[in-house]
Amino acid sequence: MRVEIPLYTERFGSVRIHDVQRILELDSGRRRDDEKEITTIHKIEKNEIEDVEDKLAIVVPVKEEKLKLLEGVLSGIPHDCVVIVVSNSQTNPINRFKMEVDTLARFHRFTRRKMLVIHQKDPGLALAFQENKYTGILDKKEKLVRDGKAEAMVVGILLAKMVGKEFVGFVDADNYIPGAVNEYVKNFAAGFCMAESSYVMVRNSWKYKPKIYNTGIYFKKWGRISEVTNRYLNLIISNYIGFETEIIKTANSGEHALTLKLAEILKYSSGFSVEPYELLYILEEFGGIKPTSYPEVIENGVEIFQIETRNPHFHEDKGEDHLKKMLLESLSVVYYSELCNQTIKTLILNELVSQDILKKDTFPPQLPAMPPLRSINIQNFNEKLKEAKTFTMFE
Ligand code: GDD
């Protein structure tokens, strides 16, 4: 793969946020001895990417998606990555979860690839969390894992750690184009190959998110949510560094990846606020504004890559209310961040009121955050899951 070097990097304490990097070639060919190096371009060899894929788990959160889409996503994930499907699909009256497990089983029969599948609401999973005193992920009434994509991601990270992986990435189950999924994972690997730190996050930035209208297809650049969330995250950074910046271009990037070392020390905010919150938490904890509980990270630094995909992003359109909920959750974590001053808070309230998402003189809901996963004893967690037969492993 050939990728631009980051042409600009914004520093925030020990956090380095690299500007969007464009891909010149998805496949840069065989390595040649007489090759001339181009200083502004990284050439990442196939074997380097494959080495990362060997150590990478891809978590696929799924809730009531079409099985054909799920199967397409599985087919796009490079073979050597472990796939971890975390489902919150219904089991009753129609057992859609069973259909998902059957889809994986069929896929495994022909591909023999390593995959793991678990249901988010499995009582054995909740018990394993309880025994490890990690109750921030549980619904207070049900005593099961709460609904939410972030909750599925947290379960996925733990399973990735359980199977001994070094990297973990997330790919939604409603992606229409398997070839695009394949690219997302290669981009994650490319980011890890370029990194200098071991605390790394790679976020995909969409080249286009096309919309289909009666008049034809329109290659839209920005999603409606990310454009707004980016703006407020950039305001927060600008306010601290004293220079206006537009460095954040992937505030809501669902397709992203982390080193396990970083993943296990982050806090995660519930539902769809998870992606902007990851960024905010990194800035809060490692931005040098307050003392951190992780001095080794300050020493090493955190690196954030934003890589622009070549493939356009086609996914299921879930409607206006879904988008409004997503924006409310995203701006809520910005609003309640300790980095957010009163002026930015007022701007956020006005934004939500003007978009008809919040009533005047009310406030966004404060979402639950899940503490770092490092506190969980992974051997014990693994044993509890096995005892309760919570997951199915295909290998
Ligand atoms: N396990 C689980 N549990 N999966 C869930 C849940 C849940 O409670 N809720 C949603 N999912 C799955 C969906 O099935 C899909 O695979 C993925 O999580 C994303 O959910 P969508 O509802 O399809 O979100 P979206 O496509 O509108 O938004 C995506 O893109 C945004 C950026 O544009 C998500 O990835 C967002 O997180 C992201 O910010």
Side-chain angles (χ1 to χ4, degrees):
M1 184 183 288
R2 243 180 259 268
V3 193
E4 275 179 354
I5 60 162
L7 295 175
Y8 181 71
T9 296
E10 196 76 74
R11 282 177 177 274
F12 194 91
S14 66
V15 184
R16 277 176 292 158
I17 311 168
H18 300 301
D19 206 349
V20 168
Q21 292 169 258
R22 288 175 190 82
I23 293 170
L24 282 302
E25 284 184 312
L26 288 169
D27 182 337
S28 52
R30 201 192 291 270
R31 180 165 176 70
R32 306 205 183 271
D33 291 340
D34 59 347
E35 222 169 290
K36 297 225 169 34
E37 203 183 302
I38 307 168
T39 48
T40 51
I41 307 294
H42 276 293
K43 183 180 178 214
I44 303 156
E45 303 297 339
K46 272 196 191 102
N47 64 311
E48 293 177 78
I49 293 195
E50 286 163 1
D51 285 349
V52 174
E53 286 169 359
D54 255 347
K55 302 175 200 153
L56 172 62
I58 296 295
V59 176
V60 183
V62 55
K63 186 174 180 187
E64 324 293 0
E65 302 294 351
K66 296 177 183 120
L67 293 173
K68 279 208 187 322
L69 290 185
L70 173 65
E71 206 263 340
V73 166
L74 297 179
S75 74
I77 300 173
H79 181 91
D80 292 322
C81 304
V82 171
V83 176
I84 298 173
V85 175
V86 185
S87 173
N88 194 13
S89 299
Q90 62 165 294
T91 49
N92 186 327
I94 294 169
N95 195 340
R96 289 206 44 94
F97 175 57
K98 184 171 180 307
M99 293 183 202
E100 289 160 1
V101 178
D102 288 348
T103 302
L104 264 75
R106 239 188 348 268
F107 187 69
H108 177 259
R109 246 179 64 210
F110 301 116
T111 60
R112 294 286 158 204
R113 63 174 307 156
K114 190 162 174 176
M115 294 181 293
L116 225 143
V117 55
I118 192 163
H119 198 281
Q120 194 166 332
K121 298 284 181 189
D122 192 300
L125 176 63
L127 205 62
F129 277 121
Q130 231 153 26
E131 299 220 353
N132 276 278
K133 305 200 170 19
Y134 191 90
T135 49
I137 195 168
L138 302 178
D139 183 284
K140 288 205 177 78
K141 273 196 217 131
E142 280 188 326
K143 302 270 187 268
L144 296 176
V145 169
R146 254 192 323 266
D147 289 327
K149 184 194 160 193
E151 284 70 4
M153 286 168 54
V154 166
V155 172
I157 295 169
L158 274 173
L159 296 186
K161 188 171 176 188
M162 220 173 75
V163 293
K165 294 293 158 182
E166 267 179 50
F167 308 101
V168 60
F170 309 97
V171 172
D172 291 347
D174 62 344
N175 276 296
Y176 275 105
I177 317 284
V181 169
N182 187 264
E183 185 200 341
Y184 302 158
V185 179
K186 303 270 175 207
N187 294 356
F188 299 161
F192 294 127
C193 290
M194 290 186 278
E196 288 163 9
S197 165
S198 38
Y199 300 93
V200 185
M201 174 180 273
V202 186
R203 300 172 77 96
N204 273 346
S205 155
W206 311 125
K207 191 165 179 75
Y208 298 113
K209 263 186 144 176
K211 296 279 163 226
I212 297 163
Y213 300 107
N214 291 340
T215 46
I217 186 163
Y218 179 68
F219 285 82
K220 218 168 163 315
K221 173 82 189 135
W222 296 106
R224 278 176 40 197
I225 309 304
S226 51
E227 197 176 353
V228 181
T229 321
N230 286 340
R231 187 164 3 112
Y232 288 98
L233 284 181
N234 283 321
L235 261 179
I236 288 213
I237 298 177
S238 306
N239 180 49
Y240 269 93
I241 62 176
F243 289 87
E244 216 163 79
T245 181
E246 292 185 338
I247 193 71
I248 302 285
K249 303 204 171 68
T250 55
N252 290 90
S253 178
E255 270 78 8
H256 66 284
L258 300 132
T259 53
L260 241 301
K261 276 177 102 169
L262 180 61
E264 67 175 1
I265 58 173
L266 294 189
K267 283 188 184 167
Y268 295 90
S269 179
S270 185
F272 290 113
S273 62
V274 60
E275 287 95 4
Y277 186 77
E278 284 170 341
L279 288 174
L280 281 164
Y281 182 74
I282 289 173
L283 298 176
E284 287 169 8
E285 191 64 34
F286 309 115
I289 285 157
K290 58 163 196 191
T292 174
S293 339
Y294 307 98
E296 72 280 12
V297 183
I298 300 284
E299 182 84 13
N300 226 280
V302 177
E303 262 183 291
I304 299 171
F305 289 88
Q306 306 181 91
I307 301 185
E308 187 178 84
T309 62
R310 274 281 158 177
N311 280 280
H313 186 59
F314 280 99
H315 69 140
E316 283 277 276
D317 187 345
K318 310 235 160 95
E320 189 69 17
D321 287 348
H322 179 71
L323 289 181
K324 285 187 170 177
K325 180 173 187 284
M326 205 176 275
L327 186 59
L328 178 63
E329 293 188 359
S330 297
L331 292 190
S332 153
V333 288
V334 186
Y335 182 89
Y336 290 109
S337 164
E338 54 197 69
L339 303 179
C340 188
N341 67 16
Q342 199 46 53
T343 315
I344 304 175
K345 280 186 198 291
T346 309
L347 290 172
I348 291 175
L349 292 181
N350 292 345
E351 176 84 51
L352 290 169
V353 172
S354 73
Q355 294 220 25
D356 212 13
I357 295 175
L358 201 66
K359 291 214 162 48
K360 208 168 177 309
D361 300 325
T362 61
F363 298 94
Q366 200 158 4
L367 301 163
M370 294 165 268
L373 291 161
R374 205 195 243 184
S375 64
I376 294 181
N377 175 332
I378 201 71
Q379 267 83 34
N380 175 279
F381 190 78
N382 188 357
E383 280 160 25
K384 296 291 163 210
L385 292 193
K386 281 190 176 148
E387 268 170 30
K389 295 194 174 61
T390 44
F391 61 85
T392 309
M393 169 92 92
F394 298 97
E395 51 188 342

